Amino acid sequence: MQHETGATGVSDVSLVGHEYEVEVGPVAHGGHCVARTDSGRVLFVRHTLPGERVIARVTEGESTSRFLRADAVEILQPSKDRVEAPCPFSGPGKCGGCDWQHAKPGAQRRLKGEVVAEQLQRLAGLTPEEAGWDGTVVPAEGDKLPAGEVPAWRTRVQYAIDAEGHAGLRKHRSHEVQPIDHCMIAAPGVSELGIEKREWPQIATVEAIAASGSADRQVILTPKPGGRLPIVELDKPVSVLRIGEKDKQIHRVHGRPFVRERADDRTYRVGEGGFWQVHPKAADTLVKAVMQGLMPRKGDMALDLYCGVGLFAGALGERVGDKGAVLGIESGKRAVEDARHNLQDLDRVRIEQGKVESVLPRTGIKEADIIVLDPPRAGAGKQTVRHLASLGARRIAYVACDPAALARDLKYFAEEGYKPVTLRAFDLFPMTHHVECVAILKPTGNRV
């Protein structure tokens, strides 16, 4: 085992490959736990659990780095929450797609809850009680499985293709490809295409999409520079699209350029690899949580920001009635076309294209009754939060795929006189560190 002695104080000496025996501390945001060496150097360690004693091998970092990244390559004292990873491609130096294959399902959800609580406290100054949260992370329907079993939930998988033309998944924080013959978290509709069984010469990536609301299947191919598109013959009928080498746009090769998804008793067209929740139960789960939180009334003026193909706008449009109105704002051109198509039967719904921070001020809207926002991973930001608070909505639903972004924005909302009254967390990405949250905010009594 290599030790730290002599490494500190030396300028930019790589510590990759150094090993440290450490006691593992708490979980941190990002799928790893925090540990410290005898000299106090911080390690972010993957493939371990809080309370374990492990040999951690450095994977990234130099003698001058603020922290080092490492893998637990030997477990000296295992946690009671540890299981043998069901997937043969999970582990140090292997596939980077999953973070918690080595943890019991209940332990995974507890770890995610600890991350959400830590981010709320550190970035928003909120305890779970102050956020209206009971501290639990709820599994999706059908996902509560015994230890050692893996839910097959991922309806969209992007395979990387190695130099020999074999399909695989990228290693953690790397462009290197781990060839696989099966992804355990891939939904049955993805697995049945047989992507891993065939070779993909001249192709860089293959994205496979299996709609959960229909039998639609789609693959999106990215050829290598100068590469030719192969004739695609898979195990099930499938539409084929490709990414253009020069324009980086998606082009139809054959079949439908969209898949059909279903949520809240509506069918949604999702075109050209556009955004839709990856877990089959996610769209319905989130719509239910948002509608329960907002409690729309007939005649409400509602906003759906970062609206994608219109999931929440459709649900709101059904509930606000003929005298209500819904405005959706989305930056993606194709998503806007899909949203307008999906909601064409609801003349009370209008969809505008552009960035929320640019379009919303131009609309001239001075007030709204209810608002839902589902921003990208970076969050909405202070400027947008300030604008939303000025509209005086009685309730705001914030859907977040990143607890850090949620916590930052909750702090901004607090500064503008809004506080969370309920927060719910859902485990819609089992085996990974990702967690989805829905916060419902109301104005405080001391709004300026």
Side-chain angles (χ1 to χ4, degrees), residues 6-120:
T8 53
V10 180
S11 177
D12 291 338
V13 173
S14 173
L15 295 180
V16 173
H18 280 233
E19 293 182 353
Y20 304 104
E21 182 176 331
V22 292
E23 187 92 30
V24 178
V27 65
H29 186 26
H32 50 253
C33 297
V34 180
R36 289 181 183 272
T37 66
D38 291 341
S39 66
R41 185 183 289 275
V42 174
L43 298 177
F44 289 161
V45 189
R46 283 172 58 82
H47 309 292
T48 189
L49 294 168
E52 293 189 325
R53 190 155 195 87
V54 305
I55 303 297
R57 181 181 296 153
V58 176
T59 55
E60 283 182 51
E62 299 168 333
S63 54
T64 54
S65 301
R66 284 192 306 114
F67 60 85
L68 305 174
R69 295 184 184 275
D71 284 342
V73 294
E74 187 180 345
I75 312 302
L76 304 176
Q77 293 174 6
S79 163
K80 62 179 175 50
D81 290 324
R82 176 172 285 276
V83 294
E84 188 165 344
C87 176
F89 307 110
S90 175
K94 297 181 183 178
C95 172
C98 291
D99 305 293
W100 300 120
Q101 288 259 353
H102 58 284
K104 293 176 181 175
Q108 293 183 35
R109 293 191 285 272
R110 283 200 307 277
L111 292 169
K112 295 182 189 194
E114 288 171 19
V115 168
V116 173
E118 188 269 338
Q119 297 293 302
L120 287 173

Side-chain angles (χ1 to χ4, degrees), residues 213-227:
S214 68
D216 295 347
R217 305 288 179 262
Q218 190 177 83
V219 296
I220 304 173
L221 307 179
T222 305
K224 291 178 179 175

Side-chain angles (χ1 to χ4, degrees), residues 292-330:
Q292 285 176 342
L294 289 179
M295 295 191 293
R297 302 170 187 165
K298 300 293 184 187
D300 272 347
M301 165 58 196
L303 297 178
D304 178 10
L305 308 178
Y306 317 92
C307 72
V309 299
L311 174 63
F312 297 118
L316 289 166
E318 296 277 9
R319 290 162 174 81
V320 300
D322 291 339
K323 294 189 174 156
V326 180
L327 172 66
I329 300 177
E330 165 60 37

Side-chain angles (χ1 to χ4, degrees), residues 11 36 73 156 192 198 204 206 215 225 282 293 299 307-308 314 329 352 404 414 429 445:
S11 177
R36 289 181 183 272
V73 294
R156 292 169 178 237
E192 69 187 11
R198 63 161 291 164
V206 179
C307 72
I329 300 177
E352 295 287 347
F429 308 89

Side-chain angles (χ1 to χ4, degrees), residues 154-410:
R154 194 170 188 92
T155 59
R156 292 169 178 237
V157 177
Q158 186 167 78
Y159 296 90
I161 309 303
D162 68 13
E164 285 74 48
H166 300 133
L169 298 169
R170 297 201 189 278
K171 299 182 179 181
H172 182 61
R173 294 174 61 84
S174 171
H175 292 294
E176 198 177 338
V177 179
Q178 167 69 61
I180 64 170
D181 56 22
H182 174 62
C183 175
M184 293 186 79
I185 65 170
V190 169
S191 296
E192 69 187 11
L193 293 176
I195 303 286
E196 305 99 329
K197 294 179 191 173
R198 63 161 291 164
E199 293 185 356
W200 300 90
Q202 304 186 62
I203 296 295
T205 66
V206 179
E207 183 175 5
I209 299 170
S212 51
S214 68
D216 295 347
R217 305 288 179 262
Q218 190 177 83
V219 296
I220 304 173
L221 307 179
T222 305
K224 291 178 179 175
R228 296 181 58 187
L229 214 61
I231 296 172
V232 178
E233 294 178 350
L234 293 171
D235 294 350
K236 293 283 181 180
V238 65
S239 298
V240 179
L241 291 78
R242 69 174 178 86
I243 308 279
E245 184 177 337
K246 292 182 179 176
D247 62 9
K248 303 302 178 189
Q249 299 298 307
I250 297 179
H251 303 273
R252 185 175 74 89
V253 178
H254 69 74
R256 286 195 190 99
F258 58 85
V259 296
R260 292 162 297 176
E261 297 285 4
R262 192 147 179 86
D264 195 44
D265 294 327
R266 294 186 67 87
T267 297
Y268 290 85
R269 184 182 83 183
V270 185
E272 296 178 355
F275 176 78
W276 186 261
Q277 290 289 340
V278 180
H279 194 293
K281 303 287 185 183
D284 273 325
T285 297
L286 295 174
V287 166
K288 186 177 179 181
V290 167
M291 295 304 128
Q292 285 176 342
L294 289 179
M295 295 191 293
R297 302 170 187 165
K298 300 293 184 187
D300 272 347
M301 165 58 196
L303 297 178
D304 178 10
L305 308 178
Y306 317 92
C307 72
V309 299
L311 174 63
F312 297 118
L316 289 166
E318 296 277 9
R319 290 162 174 81
V320 300
D322 291 339
K323 294 189 174 156
V326 180
L327 172 66
I329 300 177
E330 165 60 37
S331 61
K333 185 168 182 269
R334 179 59 203 252
V336 168
E337 291 172 8
D338 286 337
R340 288 171 177 163
H341 169 86
N342 295 333
L343 307 177
Q344 59 188 321
D345 61 312
L346 296 170
D347 56 10
R348 68 205 69 147
V349 179
R350 186 169 104 247
I351 307 294
E352 295 287 347
Q353 187 196 343
K355 294 190 173 180
V356 168
E357 60 269 28
S358 304
V359 173
L360 191 55
R362 289 206 308 264
T363 63
I365 291 172
K366 300 295 183 189
E367 57 185 37
D369 297 303
I370 51 177
I371 299 169
V372 57
L373 64 156
D374 186 2
R377 192 165 296 280
K382 192 166 190 173
Q383 177 188 342
T384 298
V385 166
R386 182 175 291 166
H387 191 148
L388 297 184
S390 74
L391 301 178
R394 70 172 184 272
R395 291 196 171 213
I396 298 174
Y398 189 124
V399 182
C401 62
D402 186 297
L406 170 65
R408 282 193 298 269
D409 283 346
L410 286 181

